[in-house]
Amino acid sequence: MIIRLEEEKDYLEVENMVRNSFWNIYRPGAFEHYIVHNLRDDESFIKDLAYVIEVDDKIIAHINYSKGRIVFKNDAVDAVVLGPISVDTKYQNHGYGSKLIEHTLGLILEMNIPFVFVIGDEHYYHRFGFESASKYDIYIDGTDKNEECPFFMIKILDKNKMELIEGTFYNPEVFNVNENDVDEFDKIS
């Protein structure tokens, strides 16, 4: 098993693996592969945190990070968000996703990034120290601030840099996907 930075030569293999791993999981079809494809050319993309796992010269897992924004009453700051992350269906439930998350969170700590957001299964991400962002009065755009949003989580890496007050998190625009665009992309990829 090799954990390494994603390279341009990996793009198509990664996109196909991402599409297959998300296929019919949250909705009919998938669009996460399209996000991965577009994210690489987006200013929010954090290239130094795009990693893959290779087993027997085959990419079996992939992770991305990007920069969203937290908007406060009088200010806004960049905020790192994990995802998409995917593992080939034949290799799921063997700890490969955990290895990628742990590896990249270690890098994030070295980069002095004070916190990371994730949108996903709270039962899965709690094991890495993620907790509800609403505990810190941070909510994801489009959700009711009076209701718990368990799938929107934060991992605090440096409590000394946590001076946040109530704010709204905005994902990078590249995460807003038009299904027709995905259909067109799938015809040519």
Side-chain angles (χ1 to χ4, degrees), residues 75-135:
D75 197 11
V77 297
D78 285 341
V80 173
V81 61
L82 181 165
I85 179 173
S86 56
V87 177
D88 184 298
T89 55
K90 295 175 186 162
Y91 294 87
Q92 290 178 2
N93 300 311
H94 292 91
Y96 292 108
S98 294
K99 287 184 189 326
L100 271 182
I101 292 170
E102 290 165 356
H103 179 76
T104 54
L105 286 177
L107 296 171
I108 286 170
L109 191 59
E110 291 174 10
M111 297 166 103
N112 294 316
I113 295 170
F115 52 86
V116 178
F117 288 99
V118 69
I119 300 163
D121 181 352
E122 67 273 17
H123 303 294
Y124 179 75
Y125 288 102
H126 280 175
R127 72 179 82 170
F128 305 104
F130 285 89
E131 54 189 330
S132 176
S134 63
K135 176 179 174 182

Side-chain angles (χ1 to χ4, degrees), residues 63-74:
I63 193 167
N64 275 334
Y65 288 83
S66 55
K67 286 183 266 178
R69 296 284 286 165
I70 304 174
V71 176
F72 306 104
K73 187 175 184 180
N74 296 315

Side-chain angles (χ1 to χ4, degrees), residues 27-47:
R27 71 201 66 76
F31 59 71
E32 288 78 4
H33 64 294
Y34 184 66
I35 292 171
V36 168
H37 175 81
N38 289 330
L39 185 59
R40 294 182 187 111
D41 293 324
D42 193 79
E43 65 184 354
S44 68
F45 181 55
I46 304 174
K47 184 176 183 170

